[in-house]
Protein backbone atom coordinates (compact mmCIF):
# COMPACT_ATOMS: atom_id res chain seq x y z
CA UNK A 1 0.00 0.00 0.00
CA UNK A 2 2.89 2.36 -0.66
CA UNK A 3 2.22 5.55 -2.57
CA UNK A 4 3.70 4.12 -5.77
CA UNK A 5 1.20 1.24 -5.69
CA UNK A 6 -1.69 3.72 -5.65
CA UNK A 7 -2.22 3.60 -9.41
CA UNK A 8 -5.41 1.87 -10.52
CA UNK A 9 -3.56 -0.53 -12.83
CA UNK A 10 -1.33 -1.76 -9.99
CA UNK A 11 -4.28 -2.21 -7.64
CA UNK A 12 -6.14 -4.16 -10.34
CA UNK A 13 -3.12 -6.40 -11.03
CA UNK A 14 -2.60 -7.06 -7.33
CA UNK A 15 -6.26 -7.88 -6.75
CA UNK A 16 -6.30 -10.20 -9.76
CA UNK A 17 -3.17 -12.01 -8.57
CA UNK A 18 -4.55 -12.43 -5.06
CA UNK A 19 -7.90 -13.61 -6.43
CA UNK A 20 -6.03 -16.27 -8.43
CA UNK A 21 -4.18 -17.30 -5.29
CA UNK A 22 -7.47 -17.50 -3.36
CA UNK A 23 -8.83 -19.94 -5.96
CA UNK A 24 -5.97 -22.35 -5.27
CA UNK A 25 -6.30 -22.37 -1.48
CA UNK A 26 -8.30 -24.80 0.64
CA UNK A 27 -9.49 -24.86 4.24
CA UNK A 28 -6.26 -26.69 5.16
CA UNK A 29 -4.14 -23.74 4.01
CA UNK A 30 -3.42 -20.76 6.25
CA UNK A 31 -2.84 -17.22 5.02
CA UNK A 32 -1.48 -14.12 6.67
CA UNK A 33 -1.39 -10.78 4.86
CA UNK A 34 1.13 -8.00 5.43
CA UNK A 35 0.78 -4.67 3.67
CA UNK A 36 3.53 -2.10 3.76
CA UNK A 37 4.44 1.47 3.07
CA UNK A 38 6.61 3.32 5.59
CA UNK A 39 5.75 0.61 8.11
CA UNK A 40 4.42 -2.90 7.61
CA UNK A 41 1.07 -3.91 9.02
CA UNK A 42 -0.22 -7.42 9.68
CA UNK A 43 -3.78 -7.21 8.33
CA UNK A 44 -4.69 -10.90 8.45
CA UNK A 45 -3.14 -13.61 10.56
CA UNK A 46 -3.65 -17.34 10.05
CA UNK A 47 -6.89 -17.14 8.06
CA UNK A 48 -8.11 -20.45 6.57
CA UNK A 49 -7.35 -20.42 2.84
CA UNK A 50 -10.95 -21.03 1.81
CA UNK A 51 -11.87 -17.66 3.36
CA UNK A 52 -9.12 -15.66 1.65
CA UNK A 53 -11.39 -14.63 -1.24
CA UNK A 54 -13.38 -12.52 1.27
CA UNK A 55 -10.26 -10.45 1.87
CA UNK A 56 -9.32 -10.01 -1.79
CA UNK A 57 -12.45 -7.97 -2.44
CA UNK A 58 -11.30 -5.45 0.15
CA UNK A 59 -7.73 -5.00 -1.12
CA UNK A 60 -8.69 -1.90 -3.14
CA UNK A 61 -9.97 -0.26 0.04
CA UNK A 62 -6.50 -0.13 1.59
CA UNK A 63 -5.30 3.48 1.64
CA UNK A 64 -1.93 4.07 -0.06
CA UNK A 65 0.71 5.89 1.96
CA UNK A 66 4.10 7.34 1.07
CA UNK A 67 7.35 5.40 1.22
CA UNK A 68 8.23 1.75 0.67
CA UNK A 69 10.08 -0.08 3.44
CA UNK A 70 10.70 -3.49 1.93
CA UNK A 71 13.15 -4.50 4.65
CA UNK A 72 10.61 -3.96 7.45
CA UNK A 73 7.88 -5.69 5.43
CA UNK A 74 10.02 -8.77 4.89
CA UNK A 75 10.94 -8.82 8.59
CA UNK A 76 7.27 -8.83 9.64
CA UNK A 77 6.28 -11.34 6.95
CA UNK A 78 9.05 -13.74 7.96
CA UNK A 79 8.29 -13.33 11.69
CA UNK A 80 4.65 -14.18 10.94
CA UNK A 81 5.65 -17.16 8.78
CA UNK A 82 7.93 -18.46 11.54
CA UNK A 83 5.16 -18.06 14.13
CA UNK A 84 2.74 -20.01 11.90
CA UNK A 85 5.32 -22.47 10.55
CA UNK A 86 3.84 -25.84 9.53
CA UNK A 87 6.25 -28.73 9.68
CA UNK A 88 6.02 -30.53 6.35
CA UNK A 89 3.95 -27.67 4.91
CA UNK A 90 4.65 -25.24 2.09
CA UNK A 91 5.87 -22.30 4.15
CA UNK A 92 6.42 -19.26 1.97
CA UNK A 93 6.25 -15.52 1.72
CA UNK A 94 4.75 -14.18 -1.51
CA UNK A 95 5.81 -10.62 -2.24
CA UNK A 96 3.81 -8.44 -4.65
CA UNK A 97 5.46 -5.05 -5.12
CA UNK A 98 6.60 -2.54 -7.69
CA UNK A 99 10.03 -2.96 -6.12
CA UNK A 100 10.44 0.78 -5.59
CA UNK A 101 11.91 0.43 -2.08
CA UNK A 102 13.11 3.76 -0.71
CA UNK A 103 13.23 3.23 3.09
CA UNK A 104 15.19 0.84 5.29
CA UNK A 105 17.94 -1.36 3.87
CA UNK A 106 18.00 -1.00 0.10
CA UNK A 107 21.04 -3.04 -0.93
CA UNK A 108 20.05 -6.30 -2.62
CA UNK A 109 23.07 -8.13 -1.17
CA UNK A 110 22.15 -7.21 2.41
CA UNK A 111 18.52 -8.24 1.94
CA UNK A 112 19.70 -11.37 0.14
CA UNK A 113 21.45 -12.53 3.31
CA UNK A 114 18.24 -12.18 5.31
CA UNK A 115 16.25 -14.05 2.67
CA UNK A 116 18.87 -16.81 2.49
CA UNK A 117 18.71 -17.26 6.28
CA UNK A 118 14.93 -17.72 6.14
CA UNK A 119 15.23 -20.18 3.26
CA UNK A 120 17.57 -22.29 5.38
CA UNK A 121 14.88 -22.19 8.10
CA UNK A 122 12.34 -23.60 5.62
CA UNK A 123 10.54 -20.45 4.43
CA UNK A 124 10.67 -19.74 0.69
CA UNK A 125 10.21 -16.32 -0.93
CA UNK A 126 8.36 -15.72 -4.20
CA UNK A 127 8.63 -12.25 -5.74
CA UNK A 128 6.21 -10.78 -8.25
CA UNK A 129 6.85 -7.34 -9.67
CA UNK A 130 3.88 -5.10 -10.47
CA UNK A 131 4.04 -2.15 -12.91
CA UNK A 132 6.94 -0.65 -14.86
CA UNK A 133 7.59 2.80 -13.32
CA UNK A 134 10.29 2.66 -10.66
CA UNK A 135 10.45 -1.12 -10.93
CA UNK A 136 13.60 -2.77 -9.51
CA UNK A 137 13.97 -6.04 -11.41
CA UNK A 138 17.45 -6.73 -10.04
CA UNK A 139 16.29 -6.50 -6.41
CA UNK A 140 13.32 -8.84 -6.80
CA UNK A 141 15.15 -11.37 -8.93
CA UNK A 142 18.04 -11.51 -6.44
CA UNK A 143 15.68 -12.02 -3.51
CA UNK A 144 13.59 -14.75 -5.12
CA UNK A 145 16.65 -16.61 -6.42
CA UNK A 146 18.08 -16.71 -2.89
CA UNK A 147 14.72 -17.45 -1.32
CA UNK A 148 14.27 -20.68 -3.30
CA UNK A 149 11.19 -19.14 -4.85
CA UNK A 150 9.63 -18.07 -8.07
CA UNK A 151 10.01 -14.73 -9.80
CA UNK A 152 7.92 -13.03 -12.46
CA UNK A 153 6.85 -9.63 -13.63
CA UNK A 154 3.13 -8.83 -13.84
CA UNK A 155 2.37 -5.94 -16.17
CA UNK A 156 -1.12 -6.74 -17.47
CA UNK A 157 -4.12 -8.91 -16.60
CA UNK A 158 -3.18 -11.58 -19.15
CA UNK A 159 0.25 -11.96 -17.54
CA UNK A 160 -1.39 -12.35 -14.16
CA UNK A 161 -3.62 -15.12 -15.51
CA UNK A 162 -0.85 -16.88 -17.41
CA UNK A 163 2.15 -16.40 -15.15
CA UNK A 164 1.17 -15.82 -11.54
CA UNK A 165 -1.17 -18.78 -11.19
CA UNK A 166 1.06 -21.21 -13.06
CA UNK A 167 4.21 -20.21 -11.18
CA UNK A 168 2.51 -20.61 -7.81
CA UNK A 169 0.58 -23.76 -8.68
CA UNK A 170 3.68 -25.91 -8.35
CA UNK A 171 4.59 -24.35 -5.02
CA UNK A 172 1.22 -24.68 -3.32
Amino acid sequence: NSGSMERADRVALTKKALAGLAEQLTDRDRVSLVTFARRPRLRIDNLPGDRFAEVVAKIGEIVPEGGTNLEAALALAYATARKRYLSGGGNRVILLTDGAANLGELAPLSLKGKVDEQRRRGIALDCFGVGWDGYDDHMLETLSRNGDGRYAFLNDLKTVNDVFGSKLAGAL
Side-chain angles (χ1 to χ4, degrees), residues 28-34 42-48 76-93 118 121-123:
R28 292 183 22 216
D29 297 309
R30 293 294 177 264
V31 178
S32 296
L33 178 69
V34 172
L42 181 60
R43 295 203 182 249
I44 298 167
D45 190 19
N46 208 35
L47 182 75
L76 179 57
Y78 279 128
T80 304
R82 284 191 311 272
K83 182 171 95 176
R84 301 298 183 192
Y85 189 87
L86 296 172
S87 182
N91 299 284
R92 59 194 333 100
V93 170
Q118 296 303 320
R121 294 174 85 177
I123 302 171

Side-chain angles (χ1 to χ4, degrees), residues 106-144:
L106 303 174
L109 290 180
S110 176
L111 291 173
K112 173 189 140 191
K114 295 174 185 184
V115 168
D116 188 53
E117 176 187 339
Q118 296 303 320
R119 178 191 48 79
R120 284 183 270 128
R121 294 174 85 177
I123 302 171
L125 173 67
D126 299 303
C127 295
F128 294 92
V130 180
W132 285 109
D133 294 339
Y135 179 67
D136 191 342
D137 182 65
H138 176 68
M139 168 83 78
L140 297 181
E141 190 172 8
T142 298
L143 296 181
S144 62

Side-chain angles (χ1 to χ4, degrees), residues 42-99:
L42 181 60
R43 295 203 182 249
I44 298 167
D45 190 19
N46 208 35
L47 182 75
D50 62 342
R51 292 189 48 217
F52 188 59
E54 300 168 20
V55 174
V56 173
K58 297 183 180 197
I59 295 295
E61 297 172 11
I62 296 172
V63 177
E65 303 169 11
T68 305
N69 193 333
L70 180 59
E71 177 189 27
L74 285 173
L76 179 57
Y78 279 128
T80 304
R82 284 191 311 272
K83 182 171 95 176
R84 301 298 183 192
Y85 189 87
L86 296 172
S87 182
N91 299 284
R92 59 194 333 100
V93 170
I94 301 170
L95 175 66
L96 288 141
T97 181
D98 61 8

